[in-house]
Every structure is written in structure tokens, then in C-alpha cells.
Amino acid sequence: MQKSSITIASKLPGIEQSIFSVMTALATKHNAINLAQGFPDFNCPPRLIELVNKYMLEGKNQYAAMPGILPLREKIAEKANRLYGSNYEPVNEITITAGGTQAIYTAISAVVKEKDEVIIFEPGYDSYLPAILINKGAPKYVQLSPPNYKIDWDQVKKLVNYRTKLIIINTPHNPSGMVFTADDMKQLQKIVAKTDIMVLSDEVYEHIIFDGRKHESVCKYPDLASRAFVVFSFGKTYHTTGWKMGYVLAPKEMTEEFRKVYQYSMFSAMTPLQYAFNNMLDDVEHYMQLPDFYQKKRDIFLEAIKGSRFKPIPCEGTYFQCLDYSGISNENDRKMAEILTKQYGIASIPTSVFYHDKVDHKILRFCFAKGEETLKEAGEKLSKI
Ligand code: PMP
């Protein structure tokens, strides 16, 4: 292609190529074990593939209803009711999306206007900030620090003012593995009470939570739920991150605004997948055993690095284990991740990328959604460092 003469005044000038693509490319080049990007290296339940195939053959290949097929939305309402005691109405309060990220982008675009302030916690999943910026919102940061990454709610309270439009929370939390407690939810509830502040709750790891902890969904707190978009992802629950399907729960008035944006950016999500997930949700056991399934993986990884010089950060949920390498090296975390990939054959994510000002706590994030052998091999490599 001939070089374009067009110059674009970027709408996202400070935003670089995502670290996930960078580290994955480096891992491939150096044939390293890729514990960088968060995805399982094992397959989804075979029945799910059979169901998608069945519905494709049956001709469920045309546009679904804009908010998603109704039986799936009904099934989701039942699930949320059983797990969290909520009463979302399938017709007006549940929307199927093309994954959690698309739901997050849509929710932010639906409500954030120029100069609206949005409180986000750092480190944080990297899709929140660009969505705020492209909508001309003003991000306000609350920093969480290792080893526990606990939220200082007094700091949140100090940031709140008449411009605050939205607070974005994420539990279980990527990248730290921290999980919100009931007390966190009550503190948040107290802060937003008697304000018009909305909440965007990213709960894509709702079923990946350990050591007997219970997921504190916003759906359990009526005063929060009545002002919240709550985002979930089938990608995490069914080991299908590449299918990009999720959903958002929100009160009718908020869903109406959400759908105004959704219908002109996506219109509807993939039809045969929706029918398949509708059947899969009948198997409650699948998601009820996920905490156990992933906790075993976390523990295999922790056991495999026990003799190493890395110091594990407490992982209460998600499929990420953060490791502190300050006892090994003074290199910054980007450089350290590069060295581990090139010289030791193991790829991770430097956690500084999850802070807008790239705070370097000398902590790397490793994804343990991998087979047992891979985790043990990774542990061996890390133990040599
Ligand atoms: N939120 C968080 C915290 C995530 O880690 C991810 C996936 N990396 C998502 C949302 C996006 O989910 P999806 O793949 O369904 O878009």
C-alpha cells in the first residue's frame, strides 16, 4: 500500500500497543512458556463445542434479538437470583455483549461525557482508561499497593465531588488477585449513597475465587445494584476467551442508555453461541467447581516456585499470581519481564503497565490457567533464577 498522506490528530495520543501483544510476540519469538496473557491453554467443555455445532447446523446463524436471545437472558436472571439474590428483569435489564471488554466500553460510552470524572483503581485492567479518555472523561486514580492491594476508601471519599460520574470496581481483581470484602462493598455503598454516582462493576472472575471466599457481587447490594452496570464474561467461566461473549446487568433506566450505544456498535452478539451457553448454564456444577479447579492450579504453581527467590503476593481470586522479585534484582519490571522471557524462557506481565504513571513495585504477573506440566516446568525455570 502506498504511504498515506493523512495525518490523524490521535484521540488516544498516550496509548501504546497493548503489553499483552508485546509479551506474547516476545514469548513466541523466544519459544518461552507464555504465562503473560490471561487465557487457558486447555480446551472448553466438549459439550459446549457440540452445542455450538448443533445450533449452527440447525440454522441459528442469523441476527439474534438486539439484547440477546430471551431464553439466555432468563437463564442469566435465574443464575444471578440464585447466587446473589438479585431480581434482574430479563427483558429490560440484561444485555448479551461481545465479551466483558465490549460491555465495559459500551457502558462508559453510554454515560461518560466531557469533563465527567471517573474514579478508577490502579493497578487496573487496561481497557478502562482508553474508554474514559475517548469519551473525554477525566480519570481520577486511587492507587492500591502491594502486598495486599487493599482499597483506602477515605482516599476514594476525598476524590468524590459534583463532577464524579462513575466509579469502576473490579473484583476479583486483575492483576493483583485481591478480592473485595463485604466491608469494601459497604464502604462503597456509603460513599455513593445520596449521590448520582454510578458504579461499573467488572466481575468477570466471579467464579475464580479461593480459600472458601464468597464473591461479593454488586448484585447482592440493592443500593449499589440500583446504580450499577455489572459485567460478566462467558470467556472466563467456560475457558472460551476467544469467543468474546459476556453480559451486563443494569436497572432498566441504565440499560436503556446502554442499549442505545450497543445497538449501533454491535447490534447483537453471535447467535449460535448464545443458544449453546443457554444450555450450558443448566449445568450449575460447571461453575460451582471452578474455584476448586483454579485453586488447585494456583497451588501447583505456588508449590513449584516454593524453592525460588520470588515472593508470592496473596492471590485470593482470578487466574493470576503476582510475584515480587525485589530480592533478586533491581531491574525495572519491564526489563525484568524481558530478561525472563529471553534468557529463562518464561513470559509474564510487568505490573507497572497497569498504572497510568507506570509505578514499578518490582512485581510480575503470571497466569496460572495452564496445564499442570506447564505450571511445574514454569516453576522449575523460575526456581533457577
Ligand atoms: N475485565 C477484566 C478484569 C479482565 O481481566 C478481562 C479479560 N482479560 C476482561 C474484563 C475482558 O473480558 P472479555 O474477554 O470477555 O472481553
Side-chain angles (χ1 to χ4, degrees):
M1 167 67 86
Q2 190 182 322
K3 191 173 167 358
S4 174
S5 60
I6 303 295
T7 0
I8 299 172
S10 178
K11 294 180 90 170
L12 293 172
I15 303 289
E16 306 161 349
Q17 187 191 7
S18 147
I19 186 75
F20 304 105
S21 329
V22 175
M23 289 311 298
T24 295
L26 202 65
T28 310
K29 186 168 167 208
H30 295 275
N31 204 17
I33 299 179
N34 188 1
L35 302 193
Q37 204 171 355
F39 58 79
D41 72 349
F42 40 86
N43 212 347
C44 62
R47 180 160 170 260
L48 178 55
I49 296 177
E50 284 160 24
L51 283 166
V52 173
N53 200 20
K54 169 176 122 90
Y55 286 118
M56 283 182 165
L57 289 169
E58 273 178 20
K60 298 278 193 277
N61 298 309
Q62 310 311 327
Y63 297 127
M66 182 270 281
I69 62 164
L70 190 56
L72 176 59
R73 286 184 279 145
E74 286 169 345
K75 204 70 64 72
I76 289 167
E78 272 168 41
K79 180 188 176 208
N81 176 266
R82 195 169 350 98
L83 294 180
Y84 307 126
S86 57
N87 283 306
Y88 287 95
E89 205 268 292
V91 173
N92 298 315
E93 300 184 322
I94 299 178
T95 310
I96 311 299
T97 61
T101 310
Q102 199 244 341
I104 290 162
Y105 190 86
T106 306
I108 292 172
S109 301
V111 300
V112 173
K113 292 185 181 166
E114 190 165 359
K115 298 200 175 85
D116 281 346
E117 294 187 2
V118 182
I119 297 179
I120 54 178
F121 299 94
E122 288 195 327
Y125 178 50
D126 61 348
S127 82
Y128 310 139
L129 183 60
I132 296 166
L133 294 178
I134 210 157
N135 286 291
K136 299 197 169 83
K140 297 287 154 185
Y141 305 97
V142 176
Q143 274 206 16
L144 315 179
S145 299
N148 293 320
Y149 293 92
K150 286 290 162 214
I151 292 174
D152 176 353
W153 290 104
D154 284 337
Q155 205 189 331
V156 179
K157 207 158 119 189
K158 279 186 201 140
L159 284 180
V160 166
N161 66 64
Y162 72 98
R163 283 195 197 277
T164 310
K165 177 61 74 68
L166 185 67
I167 299 179
I168 304 182
I169 62 169
N170 170 217
T171 179
H173 179 256
N174 175 12
S176 73
M178 172 273 283
V179 158
F180 277 48
T181 61
D183 186 58
D184 285 317
M185 302 310 271
K186 283 177 197 144
Q187 300 254 24
L188 174 63
Q189 196 161 286
K190 232 191 302 175
I191 289 173
V192 295
K194 301 200 184 79
T195 72
D196 288 331
I197 299 170
M198 284 175 274
V199 172
L200 170 55
S201 186
D202 179 347
E203 302 185 13
V204 300
Y205 298 103
E206 65 176 323
H207 299 301
I208 311 184
I209 181 158
F210 309 134
D211 308 311
R213 286 181 181 81
K214 291 268 164 287
H215 172 55
E216 291 298 335
S217 175
V218 154
C219 303
K220 279 168 69 174
Y221 298 85
D223 290 349
L224 286 176
S226 64
R227 58 175 75 236
F229 296 103
V230 195
V231 171
F232 300 90
S233 170
F234 288 116
K236 310 290 176 195
T237 303
Y238 290 96
H239 321 310
T240 51
T241 59
W243 290 9
K244 300 298 291 182
M245 185 163 283
Y247 55 94
V248 61
L249 310 180
K252 180 170 180 284
E253 300 70 18
M254 290 170 67
T255 294
E256 265 169 22
E257 291 306 313
F258 181 94
R259 289 183 185 171
K260 282 183 191 169
V261 178
Y262 177 80
Q263 68 180 334
Y264 291 113
S265 57
M266 185 69 198
F267 187 72
S268 65
M270 240 181 109
T271 307
L273 269 55
Q274 295 193 44
Y275 281 96
F277 281 128
N278 177 40
N279 291 152
M280 289 302 284
L281 282 175
D282 291 333
D283 178 9
V284 173
E285 198 40 35
H286 170 82
Y287 53 79
M288 294 312 279
Q289 56 76 44
L290 270 193
D292 218 34
F293 175 79
Y294 275 115
Q295 186 171 321
K296 283 200 183 102
K297 293 192 176 295
R298 179 200 65 179
D299 292 346
I300 289 169
F301 184 58
L302 285 177
E303 183 63 28
I305 58 150
K306 218 160 87 185
S308 82
R309 292 195 289 153
F310 288 91
K311 206 166 139 222
I313 299 294
C315 169
E316 305 172 337
T318 75
Y319 42 49
F320 302 112
Q321 176 64 59
C322 287
L323 299 179
D324 178 332
Y325 65 87
S326 58
I328 302 176
S329 167
N330 266 335
E331 287 291 2
N332 69 51
D333 65 354
R334 267 187 175 248
K335 185 75 192 157
M336 189 66 177
E338 201 183 304
I339 293 172
L340 290 198
T341 311
K342 288 185 178 166
Q343 294 178 21
Y344 296 92
I346 177 139
S348 59
I349 297 287
T351 56
S352 63
V353 303
F354 299 104
Y355 292 88
H356 75 288
D357 50 1
K358 312 289 177 243
V359 186
D360 176 17
H361 289 293
K362 313 234 174 290
I363 289 175
L364 302 173
R365 191 200 76 174
F366 297 80
C367 173
F368 56 80
K370 310 291 167 186
E372 192 171 331
E373 284 316 307
T374 307
L375 294 173
K376 286 184 176 161
E377 203 187 322
E380 268 169 38
K381 285 180 189 286
L382 292 170
S383 300
K384 286 192 190 127
I385 301 168

